[in-house]
Amino acid sequence: MEPFTRHTGLVVPLDRPNVDTDAIIPKQYLKSVRRTGFGPNLFDDWRYLDPGEPGMDHSRRRVNPDFVLNDPRYRGATILLARDNFGCGSSREHAVWALMDYGIRVVIAPSFADIFYSNSFKNGLLPVVLPADTVDRLFREVGARPGYALTVDLERQEVVTPDGERFAFQVDGFRRHRLLHGLDDIALTLQHADEIRAYERRRAEEAPWLFQDLQAVRGEGR
Amino acid sequence: MGAGWSAGRAWLALTARVATLAGLVGEIWPMPARTLYDKLWEAHVVREEPDGTALLYIDRHLVHEVTSPQAFEGLRLAGRRVWRPATVLAVPDHNVPTTDRSQGIQDPVSRVQVETLERNVREFGLPAFGMDDPRQGIVHVIGPEQGATLPGMTVVCGDSHTSTHGALGALAFGIGTSEVEHVLATQCLAQKKSRAMLVRVDGEAPPWVTAKDIALAIIGEIGTAGGTGHAMEFGGAAIRALSVEGRMTLCNMSIEAGARAGMVAVDDKTLAYVRGRPFAPKGALWERAEAAWADLHSDAGASFDRTVVLDAGRLLPQVTWGTSPEMVAPVTGRVPDPDAEADRVRALGMRRALEYMGLEPGTPITAIPLDKVFIGSCTNSRIEDLRAAAEVVRGRRVAGNVKLAMVVPGSGLVKRQAEAEGLDRVFREAGFEWREPGCSMCLAMNADRLEPGERCASTSNRNFEGRQGQGGRTHLVSPAMAAAAAVAGHFVDPRELVGS
């Protein structure tokens, strides 16, 4: 995974609460068996006026001029400013892949849905939680000042405005460490393989029914 | 057999002694009262980091075709094996056709995904039900049905509705694809413990107020982010009165309240449900499991970070009117007016929702006409759901303005059971289509979908924009309400259609 330390980028405001993962990446694109190529279909139903299907040439589709991502002013944005409960709904990690593939590196919101929040860290996308009134202020400033850019510093855990104002944010120590160094979670866990095996031995004594082999059990309907 | 029996007896005697000892110790140093979530969590911690992040052991990993291909690809690229293949159960459900399967899957992209799952389970040697297996079905229906998910387990799946399995007194939650890969490779997940929330539903639910109505009413009360950061336990008289299948519906929808997991304590109903399932423990092993499961409830006096109380006696059948499950009203109510909403962001959301849904403020819920009716999904496709819908439909006809009414059973075995009870005939004679099991129109990844502007009464779990097809309009309801709406052609109080 790509490490994340500090990022400065143009901010695009998405002013609606409860943005769900179906909206971030509609289901027809989940049929891909790859992790890349979802960028052109980020917010597909909002971004285009015509229905989209996998395999289409999306650059030829009719673009919705009213959708904020299509506003030339926000072209090249890498920080998404959002409202409460961003990423709710389905567990699809494709939502994070689509944001990353589009070029987004940071999402700032007053709150995130749990699974989306966790998926973000696995892919080097930084979700930043700021108080609702701070987010409100950022929305106003982004709207008022074309070219508005923020700096997000994971090491110091702060968001810095163009005026040099700083807003602190919290991230779990363990998640922060992994993201700062771009560490492979699985390799980290496998360092504790002996402890996992010891747990399994202990647990097999306590709860042997959890160690039945599904393949060995003849499974016919009741 | 004899050896196992006497070993079981010796074990029981030993546990009795240990229990006495624990009781004695407990009198001297009282154990803090623990929640069900505490108990499930603590039993699965392999190790803990200084910041409280735990390595949590996973007992059952359910796998489907949509969120797994990139995880298997990750294992291949890193040259990793599956840590404990016997804990996996894989099944295709999202993409499978619900019509005749003898020709395979027509959509080439869907076919590739299902074939990729088949190839992966062969390569890594994982237990799986194929598309033509009679046990195939929606992953959250077949887990409990097969006894593959059990009380006291940690259950994960690359699917947010994994919370369903918490109905059995398990810790069950949805994960992303990176975590699917992590569990395949290590049998563990790095997790921080959530806060504990109790949703207590007191009183007795009136006739036609089902588990689905209770779930929607809870979400209407606390909002779709009301449970964020929390593991949600459902308790109270109205929950204890629910069948285990009803509890599955409720726990299934806990993710729509934002909760990390939903769960219900084990009771006699849970044990009766699990006993005799194909993968459930048998004989002496069952005795041991049953004894251990007796502790799977929150202790008296256990403290929760948050408690919400509802009175089931005051609930009415529910219908969602917007594009978020929290946008819900009783069937006797009206579409609300955004102008009456004080919060600016909320009012904006309501306006956008009404525009998308093509609804005017003040419209009675019962005046909303329907184009399609969908009975199915991991929320409401079990045998009791189909029985409830059939009871409403029996002897009636689907209304002329309803273009399509379909029933998609949750699994091959649910379908077989329903057919044995003649429910398929009840539905067919009324004008419903009777389909093969799968996720179907809940998320429209297969051929079953809404066309732009079409309005659907659906027993599924999400009414998001485009969820059932681009431009489609979804109203979430119970199976009984969906059936009543199919017959009336619009929402109707089932108490009026059928009587109490």
Side-chain angles (χ1 to χ4, degrees), chain B residues 150-481:
Chain B
L150 295 170
M153 273 185 169
T154 41
V155 180
V156 297
C157 175
D159 192 286
S160 59
H161 291 109
T162 309
S163 55
T164 310
H165 308 267
L168 299 172
L171 175 56
F173 53 91
I175 56 178
T177 298
S178 294
E179 290 183 319
V180 169
E181 184 181 340
H182 196 279
V183 175
L184 287 171
T186 71
Q187 208 58 45
C188 294
L189 275 178
Q191 293 280 301
K192 260 221 161 145
K193 199 174 174 190
S194 303
R195 292 184 292 276
M197 180 166 177
L198 174 66
V199 177
R200 207 181 75 212
V201 188
D202 297 332
E204 192 185 340
W208 302 107
V209 171
T210 67
K212 181 64 161 288
D213 302 295
I214 295 174
L216 288 170
I218 292 168
I219 297 163
E221 177 81 19
I222 68 173
T224 50
T228 303
H230 291 80
M232 195 178 267
E233 180 179 344
F234 299 97
I239 307 302
R240 285 195 298 278
L242 288 176
S243 69
V244 173
E245 291 192 2
R247 296 170 188 180
M248 287 180 205
T249 300
L250 190 65
C251 289
N252 173 279
M253 294 289 286
S254 61
I255 180 69
E256 293 347 305
R260 189 77 182 105
M263 62 191 78
V264 175
V266 169
D267 63 6
D268 289 345
K269 286 183 185 173
T270 324
L271 300 177
Y273 177 90
V274 175
R275 190 179 291 122
R277 300 271 161 191
F279 298 140
K282 306 279 179 342
L285 215 49
W286 170 266
E287 303 293 326
R288 283 186 66 174
E290 199 180 36
W293 295 342
D295 189 44
L296 293 176
H297 55 80
S298 289
D299 297 328
S303 75
F304 290 85
D305 298 287
R306 191 177 166 204
T307 300
V308 173
V309 181
L310 268 83
D311 177 4
R314 301 166 66 101
L315 297 181
L316 290 164
Q318 305 281 308
V319 179
T320 66
W321 51 263
T323 53
S324 167
E326 69 187 29
M327 295 173 167
V328 65
V331 66
T332 52
R334 288 169 185 272
V335 174
D337 186 352
D339 289 342
E341 171 61 53
D343 184 275
R344 189 196 69 86
V345 177
R346 274 181 75 95
L348 198 70
M350 287 169 74
R351 267 187 210 103
R352 193 173 285 135
L354 292 183
E355 191 187 325
Y356 180 86
M357 294 295 289
L359 290 173
E360 291 298 322
T363 308
I365 297 290
T366 50
I368 301 174
L370 296 158
D371 302 306
K372 287 183 176 170
V373 174
F374 170 61
I375 297 175
S377 88
C378 58
T379 313
N380 283 127
S381 63
R382 298 178 183 82
I383 190 67
E384 290 173 13
D385 297 318
L386 304 193
R387 284 178 191 145
E391 189 188 334
V392 173
V393 164
R394 196 181 297 274
R396 297 184 168 88
R397 290 281 312 166
V398 171
N401 61 304
V402 175
K403 290 183 254 182
L404 171 71
M406 63 194 290
V407 182
V408 183
S411 72
L413 298 183
V414 169
K415 180 168 186 261
R416 188 194 286 176
Q417 176 66 28
E419 288 170 354
E421 296 178 19
L423 304 184
D424 59 322
R425 280 200 317 277
V426 174
F427 286 118
R428 282 202 175 104
E429 282 166 11
F432 277 84
E433 293 192 11
W434 178 249
R435 299 287 189 90
E436 297 297 322
C439 298
S440 180
M441 212 204 278
C442 172
L443 84 167
M445 275 193 78
N446 68 352
D448 309 333
R449 68 186 62 178
L450 298 181
E451 297 304 323
E454 278 183 343
R455 190 182 296 284
C456 180
S458 178
T459 66
S460 55
N461 39 60
R462 289 185 177 136
N463 50 356
F464 299 155
E465 286 184 25
R467 171 79 180 183
Q468 296 192 290
Q470 203 189 26
R473 294 161 171 168
T474 303
H475 296 271
L476 303 176
V477 291
S478 74
M481 176 64 81

Side-chain angles (χ1 to χ4, degrees), chain B residues 126-152:
Chain B
L126 307 176
F129 298 161
M131 194 170 81
D132 299 321
D133 192 303
R135 300 165 297 177
Q136 182 269 341
I138 306 174
V139 68
H140 306 309
V141 174
I142 68 166
E145 182 175 80
Q146 292 294 321
T149 49
L150 295 170

